[in-house]
Amino acid sequence: MSGDVLIEVRGLRTYFPIRRGLLRTKVGDVKAVDGVSFHIRRGETLGLVGESGSGKTTVGRSLLRLQEPTAGAIFVDGVDFLALSGAKLRQTRRRLQMVFQDPYASLNPRMKVEDLIAEPLQIQGVLRRAAIRARVAELMDLVGLPAQARGRYAHEFSGGQRQRIGIARALALNPDLIVCDEAIASLDVSIQAQIVNLLEDLQQQLGLTYLFIAHDLSMVRHISDRIAVMYLGKIMELADRDAIHERPLHPYTQALISAIPVPDPDLEAAREHIVLEGDMPSPASPPPGCVFSTRCRFAQPRCSAEVPDWREVSPGHFAACHFA
Amino acid sequence: MTMLEIRDLAVSFATEGGTVRAVNGISYALKEGEVLGVVGESGSGKSVHALAVMQLLSPPAARVETGEIRFRGTDLLRLDDRAMRAVRGRQIGMIFQDPISSLNPVYTVGFQLCEVLRLHLGLSRRNATTCAAELLSLVGIPDARQRLASYPHELSGGMRQRVMIALAIACNPSLVIADEPTTALDVTIQAQIVALIKRLQRDMNLTVIWISHDLGVIAGLAQTVNVMYAGHIVERGPVRSIYKDPRHPYTVGLLGSLPRLDETVGGRLRSIPGRPPDMTQLPPGCPFAARCPQASERCGAGMPPVEDVGDGHSVRCWHWRDVVAARAA
C-alpha cells in the first residue's frame, strides 16, 4: 500500500478573479484554494473532506489542470506537471483521470454507452477500431455493466449504472490516479455501497491511486488510507484515517466528526455534539489569522492575528492550529 | 391522543411512461407529541405521502386512489379547498428540503412571515411585524428585527432553512412535517438545524414527521420509525427496536450499506444488490423480492400482510423470523 510518492502538491493556490464594472477591472480574488500541500503515494487512497465552499473540488480540478492553478507546484512521479505543455502534457494527463459527481450532467445524452467509453481511446488515438471495441467490452465487464447495454443511451440507466459508465471512461486509458469528486454523493444509500465496493475492487485489481473527494466523512473514512480535512481553502489537518477519527487535533475536525449523526439511537443520545455557530465566511474575504478562528470554540486573540503553521504534530499527523 | 391517522392511502401519478404507483396502501397512526421518522430511498413514496397529507399534490396527474387521512378525527381528503386552507399552514406546518425554491425571491423574509400571520391569525400589520421578529429570534437568527428586511438570496442556506422553520411554526401548528429539511445543508449546519427542531419540538410540544434518507439523523431524533420501500411501509416500530433489531431484510440491508464512524473499518460494505423497481411496473408480490437474500417463491405471489412482532413493532415480510435467526447465527 505505502509505495513511492505518485503525486506531490506544494503550496497550491487557485484563485478566481472577481471583476466589476464596465471595464471588468479586477477588484479581488475568491481564494478557493489558498496554499495546500500534500502527497499521494502510489496505490493509496487519500480522502479529502470539507463542506461546500471549502475548495476541495478546486483542489481536484487543479490537480488535473482542468483549472489552472495560480501558484504552487504539482509533481507527478517527480516531474513538474505545471511546466508541461503540448504532447508531454497530454501524455501525463492521460494518467490522471476523474469521476464526476453528477452522472446525469457528465455524460453526453446523444452518445451510446460504447461511444462514451470509447471516446477517451479515440481522442488519444492509441488503438485501432477493432482494438477499441475489444477494450470497451473489457471495460464494461470490469465495472459490471452488461455487455448488451453497449448500444443504449445514458438516460436509459439509473444513477448507479451511469456512475459505472463514468468509471469505465476514467479507466479507459489505464490511469495511475483517479480523482473521485463526490462520485457517490448523488446516489441512494444502497447504491453508494455498490459503487464504493466497485472502486475498492478496481483499486485491488489495477493498483489504482485515488483522491477521494467527499463531504461525507463516514464514507471517506471507510475508503481512505489517509484523510485531509479542508476548510475555507486550506487543509486544517491531515493524518491516517484512524488517527483523524480517534485523535483529531484540530477543533474543526473535532466539530465535523461530532456533527455527523451515527445510525444508532443509543449512541446518538449519549454523544456530545459540538454545534458550530454561524456559517463559513466567504472565501473572497477570509478572516485574518486562522481561517477557522471566527467559529472556533477555543479561539484566542492570537488566532485572529497569526496564521498557524502547518506542523507535523506527531509522525504523519499534520495540523494547522496554534494549540494542536 | 391520536393526532393523525392514515388508513390504506394509495397515490398514483399519470405519466407518459405509464402510471407511477408512488404510495401503495399505507396505514399508521401518530400520537400527539410524537416524533416520527420516515426513512427510505428516492422513489419510496415518503415525500409523496406527506404531500398527500398537506393536499399539495396537483391533479389531474396525481391521484389519491384510496384511503383516509384523519387529522384530529377529520378526513382531510373530504375537505374542500377552503376548509383545507384553514388546516394547511395553520394547524399543519411544512418544512421543505430546498428553502431557496420554497421562499419567494421577490419579497423580503419579513413580508413572507407577516403574510402568513395576517392571513391565518388575522394580526394587524404592526402586530404581525413584532410577531415575525420574535419568530426569527426564536429560530436563532441574530438581529431579527433587521433581518426582516432581508431577501432570501441575502441569507445563507442554514439561515434560509431557519426562516422556513419560522414560517412553518408561525401559527403555532400542532403538527409539523419536515421533508428532508437538512439534506441540502452541510453537516455542521445540519447539526444546528437538528438541534433547533429538537428544542422547538420540546418547547412547543410539537408532533413531528421527519422525512429523511439519512438513517443517522433519524436515529438521533425520532421516537418511532417508518421504513418505506416502493410505496409501502415495510417496517415500523420504536426507534431502538428498528435499529437494534430490524426484522425486514431491506432495513437490514440499508443499515449494512452504511459505513459507521463508531466502528472500526474493515472489509466491504454489505451493499444491497440490484436497484429499486420501476414504479410503473411493480411486481405483484413484495417489491423488494428481486433484491432480497431471503426471497422465496411465496414472495412473488402477493404483498405480505402487516405482521405485529411485539412492542409496537410491525413488519411486512414472510421471512422476518429467518432474518432474526440469521442475525443470531
Side-chain angles (χ1 to χ4, degrees):
Chain A
M1 174 198 90
S2 57
D4 49 335
V5 171
L6 175 67
I7 302 283
E8 165 105 48
V9 174
R10 283 190 215 149
L12 183 74
R13 282 169 217 275
T14 306
Y15 293 176
F16 296 93
I18 307 169
R19 294 181 194 282
R20 286 267 157 74
L22 195 61
L23 300 173
R24 312 304 295 157
T25 34
K26 194 177 135 184
V27 294
D29 285 302
V30 172
K31 295 172 178 170
V33 177
D34 198 13
V36 309
S37 304
F38 60 87
H39 65 268
I40 313 175
R41 285 188 281 264
R42 195 180 296 279
E44 86 166 336
T45 300
L46 178 69
L48 187 58
V49 286
E51 299 180 89
S52 27
S54 62
K56 56 189 191 302
T57 292
T58 308
V59 167
R61 295 180 61 88
S62 303
L63 199 61
L64 269 60
R65 288 180 70 181
L66 295 175
Q67 179 68 47
E68 283 296 327
T70 310
I74 299 169
F75 297 92
V76 179
D77 262 338
V79 177
D80 184 354
F81 184 47
L82 296 183
L84 298 180
S85 62
K88 279 258 165 55
L89 172 64
R90 242 195 338 272
Q91 269 171 25
T92 308
R93 246 189 189 154
R94 180 197 296 178
R95 300 170 52 195
L96 315 173
Q97 295 290 329
M98 192 154 187
V99 176
F100 297 92
Q101 167 168 2
D102 186 350
Y104 293 81
S106 55
L107 299 175
N108 186 336
R110 297 182 176 211
M111 289 169 74
K112 291 176 182 164
V113 169
E114 59 183 336
D115 298 327
L116 282 166
I117 299 174
E119 195 181 24
L121 297 163
Q122 286 157 352
I123 290 172
Q124 290 280 346
V126 278
L127 295 178
R128 291 174 168 278
R129 191 178 292 180
I132 287 180
R133 269 188 79 86
R135 176 74 180 142
V136 168
E138 186 189 350
L139 286 163
M140 287 180 65
D141 183 49
L142 202 57
V143 299
L145 286 169
Q148 65 270 27
R150 60 186 310 149
R152 286 157 63 190
Y153 292 89
H155 74 261
E156 299 175 61
F157 293 87
S158 64
Q161 297 291 89
R162 282 185 226 210
Q163 211 51 307
R164 288 178 196 267
I165 300 172
I167 293 170
R169 270 167 70 89
L171 289 173
L173 296 165
N174 277 320
D176 293 309
L177 174 84
I178 296 184
V179 174
C180 303
D181 183 12
E182 295 276 17
I184 55 165
S186 60
L187 306 175
D188 267 321
V189 177
S190 69
I191 310 297
Q192 283 189 354
Q194 291 177 5
I195 298 297
V196 165
N197 284 341
L198 171 66
L199 288 171
E200 288 183 325
D201 292 346
L202 291 170
Q203 183 168 42
Q204 288 265 312
Q205 285 175 45
L206 308 171
L208 294 166
T209 307
Y210 290 138
L211 177 63
F212 192 85
I213 301 171
H215 67 281
D216 177 351
L217 187 54
S218 26
M219 200 53 102
V220 169
R221 174 169 174 252
H222 175 84
I223 198 171
S224 307
D225 299 304
R226 290 183 304 137
I227 296 174
V229 179
M230 276 192 87
Y231 184 82
L232 209 60
K234 294 189 191 301
I235 297 181
M236 299 281 109
E237 185 164 2
L238 194 162
D240 286 348
R241 63 147 181 245
D242 292 333
I244 281 277
H245 177 248
E246 284 151 25
R247 295 178 300 281
L249 295 171
H250 199 286
Y252 177 62
T253 314
Q254 292 165 2
L256 195 61
I257 290 172
S258 97
I260 295 166
V262 176
D264 181 323
D266 294 346
L267 264 170
E268 265 306 297
R271 284 168 92 215
E272 184 213 1
H273 289 279
I274 307 167
V275 177
L276 287 180
E277 302 275 317
D279 294 295
M280 190 189 288
S282 159
S285 53
C290 169
V291 288
F292 185 58
S293 60
T294 54
R295 298 173 77 196
C296 181
R297 55 186 187 146
F298 303 115
Q300 302 290 322
R302 183 184 171 192
C303 298
S304 47
E306 249 179 83
V307 178
D309 289 331
W310 180 237
R311 290 187 296 132
E312 188 164 13
V313 180
S314 58
H317 196 151
F318 296 82
C321 175
H322 293 304
F323 303 100
Chain B
M1 202 189 101
T2 302
M3 161 96 43
L4 181 75
E5 189 177 6
I6 295 179
R7 273 189 221 155
D8 197 30
L9 179 71
V11 181
S12 67
F13 293 88
T15 68
E16 278 175 31
T19 306
V20 173
R21 307 213 168 275
V23 178
N24 297 302
I26 62 168
S27 305
Y28 68 87
L30 188 63
K31 288 196 294 289
E32 195 160 341
E34 185 175 349
V35 180
L36 170 73
V38 180
V39 293
E41 298 178 281
S42 358
S44 62
K46 55 191 194 304
S47 293
V48 171
H49 109 275
L51 293 175
V53 173
M54 292 299 275
Q55 303 263 313
L56 287 173
L57 293 165
S58 38
R63 227 169 78 91
V64 175
E65 305 270 355
T66 60
E68 286 176 12
I69 300 172
R70 293 197 170 274
F71 176 71
R72 297 189 180 284
T74 315
D75 186 357
L76 298 182
L77 296 175
R78 291 177 181 277
L79 293 184
D80 59 23
D81 286 355
R82 195 189 157 83
M84 189 59 212
R85 274 202 296 276
V87 174
R88 189 193 299 124
R90 172 75 184 81
Q91 298 182 58
I92 309 178
M94 185 145 182
I95 305 165
F96 296 92
Q97 171 171 348
D98 185 7
I100 196 69
S101 56
S102 313
L103 291 169
N104 191 328
V106 303
Y107 291 112
T108 62
V109 165
F111 180 90
Q112 296 182 59
L113 267 167
C114 288
E115 185 184 30
V116 171
L117 293 165
R118 295 180 65 190
L119 270 175
H120 280 304
L121 304 181
L123 296 190
S124 69
R125 197 178 290 264
R126 174 185 302 210
N127 285 346
T129 307
T130 313
C131 186
E134 278 168 17
L135 278 166
L136 287 191
S137 63
L138 184 68
V139 296
I141 295 183
D143 309 321
R145 199 101 217 162
Q146 284 78 46
R147 278 296 172 200
L148 288 176
S150 298
Y151 288 89
H153 76 268
E154 298 175 292
L155 303 174
S156 67
M159 284 296 157
R160 282 197 287 260
Q161 199 54 291
R162 285 175 196 269
V163 172
M164 285 296 295
I165 294 169
L167 279 166
I169 62 165
C171 303
N172 206 358
S174 36
L175 173 64
V176 169
I177 302 177
D179 187 7
E180 302 262 11
T182 60
T183 304
L185 306 174
D186 278 316
V187 280
T188 60
I189 307 298
Q190 166 172 285
Q192 293 173 359
I193 298 294
V194 168
L196 169 66
I197 294 190
K198 272 186 176 171
R199 172 167 64 80
L200 293 173
Q201 192 272 330
R202 216 175 33 234
D203 295 353
M204 302 172 69
N205 189 33
L206 289 173
T207 310
V208 176
I209 300 178
W210 186 291
I211 298 168
S212 179
H213 69 282
D214 188 329
L215 287 151
V217 172
I218 296 287
L221 261 168
Q223 293 152 10
T224 316
V225 176
N226 289 352
V227 181
M228 291 192 70
Y229 187 81
H232 292 282
I233 295 174
V234 293
E235 184 163 19
R236 166 177 163 81
V239 65
R240 250 192 121 254
S241 187
I242 292 282
Y243 283 77
K244 301 283 179 178
D245 200 4
R247 316 293 164 94
H248 198 284
Y250 176 64
T251 316
V252 174
L254 212 50
L255 287 164
S257 303
L258 294 170
R260 290 177 44 166
L261 272 182
D262 58 312
E263 281 177 352
T264 47
V265 186
R268 294 162 62 84
L269 296 170
R270 287 160 291 163
S271 66
I272 305 175
R275 57 198 146 105
D278 178 349
M279 299 297 283
T280 60
Q281 289 165 15
L282 284 175
C286 172
F288 188 61
R291 306 174 75 188
C292 182
Q294 311 280 355
S296 65
E297 231 170 90
R298 196 180 184 190
C299 302
M303 186 66 193
V306 179
E307 196 170 343
D308 192 348
V309 298
D311 297 325
H313 193 143
S314 60
V315 63
R316 296 189 79 164
C317 177
W318 299 117
H319 299 290
W320 67 268
R321 284 183 186 82
D322 302 334
V323 173
V324 175
R327 188 170 39 247

